[in-house]
Amino acid sequence: MYSSEVDRMTCVAKGPDHGPAPIPQEGRWTQVKEVRDISGLTHGIGWCAPQQGACKLTLNVKQGIIEEALVETIGCSGMTHSAAMAAEILPGKTILEALNTDLVCDAINTAMRELFLQIAYGRSQTAFSEGGLPIGAGLEDLGKGLCSQVGTMYGTLAKGVRYLEMAEGYVTRLALDTNNEVIGYEFVHIGKMMEMIHKGITADEALKKATSAYGRFNEAVRTINPRHE
């Protein structure tokens, strides 16, 4: 249906039609006209309205279909349950479906929105990787033991800093020098420890093998437990 104003207009012929600008994805330059033209692996970061928690969402998309999803959350206990549901919901959907699906948690929904923008504009991690990455590549972000890399630090003016969790693992001791400044830390790689226990190694031995240190830990004048001292 046309309005009477438009109906009375003279028809002017359309000139050149260049189509959409090609975007880089999986080693090709693609003119994306349909959802199924989109492929790539990339990430999106989202947050909830009260900004109490955040989500990092990783999707591996092949011809518009989500083949792999990695959902990592922090800061909100309920968000972990939402992530469990979202990880089941996402695979098999097109990215357009996923964008319009309730992914249970506002932070995960926001991450999906941000990821959609990345991938629709050709800003994917695999933009220049020929053929993209195989399904399962998302797990590589987690490393050995399949644990998210989480940084948890706490500090007060009165008592200073406490390292609680680093990319290497769960921090058990902080190394201090004569000025009571941090010069290193001891940590346990929880993922490696649990894998060893699963293989039959005793918990004490697994804990010992999964424990390591960073920095000038051996030069410490004293060490403290960052959670209890």
Side-chain angles (χ1 to χ4, degrees):
M1 294 178 64
Y2 296 95
S3 68
S4 58
E5 289 82 3
V6 172
D7 198 41
R8 291 196 300 268
M9 287 180 179
T10 299
C11 184
V12 178
K14 185 177 181 180
D17 182 8
H18 297 297
I23 62 171
Q25 55 178 28
E26 299 195 339
R28 307 185 314 274
W29 289 94
T30 309
Q31 282 191 315
V32 175
K33 298 180 180 180
E34 306 288 343
V35 171
R36 293 184 184 273
D37 295 333
I38 295 178
S39 296
L41 182 144
T42 197
H43 317 279
I45 303 295
W47 55 95
C48 57
Q51 300 194 36
Q52 180 182 345
C55 169
K56 176 193 171 189
L57 178 62
T58 303
L59 297 184
N60 198 347
V61 179
K62 301 292 185 185
Q63 296 179 324
I65 304 293
I66 297 169
E67 296 282 353
E68 177 185 17
L70 171 63
V71 189
E72 299 174 86
T73 64
I74 190 169
C76 173
S77 57
M79 193 184 291
T80 60
H81 295 76
S82 301
M85 289 182 272
E88 188 172 0
I89 290 168
L90 285 165
K93 288 189 178 293
T94 68
I95 55 171
L96 186 59
E97 283 180 295
L99 190 66
N100 290 285
T101 297
D102 180 9
L103 299 176
V104 190
C105 166
D106 197 23
I108 303 174
N109 289 322
T110 304
M112 183 63 221
R113 180 194 71 198
E114 297 300 309
L115 185 151
F116 183 89
L117 292 174
Q118 289 288 98
I119 202 166
Y121 285 118
R123 272 42 170 202
S124 65
Q125 182 179 317
T126 54
F128 300 103
S129 301
E130 188 173 355
L133 292 173
I135 311 306
L139 288 180
E140 293 180 7
D141 282 357
L142 300 180
K144 292 181 180 178
L146 301 184
C147 285
S148 295
Q149 295 186 52
V150 178
T152 309
M153 314 299 159
Y154 179 72
T156 60
L157 179 60
K159 298 295 182 178
V161 72
R162 298 293 187 275
Y163 301 170
L164 302 175
E165 204 164 355
M166 290 283 199
E168 298 91 343
Y170 180 97
V171 178
T172 52
R173 288 191 291 167
L174 290 185
L176 306 180
D177 63 10
T178 53
N179 297 321
N180 276 344
E181 294 179 356
V182 180
I183 59 172
Y185 52 88
E186 179 188 70
F187 62 89
V188 178
H189 195 300
I190 300 295
K192 290 181 181 178
M193 183 181 77
M194 294 308 297
E195 279 195 343
M196 285 186 274
I197 292 173
H198 182 71
K199 291 176 181 177
I201 297 175
T202 64
D204 288 345
E205 187 179 354
L207 176 62
K208 186 176 180 180
K209 287 185 175 181
T211 299
S212 189
Y214 183 83
R216 295 184 290 125
F217 186 82
N218 294 330
E219 299 175 25
V221 173
R222 63 182 292 224
T223 63
I224 63 169
N225 182 319
R227 289 171 174 79
H228 302 292
E229 296 179 72

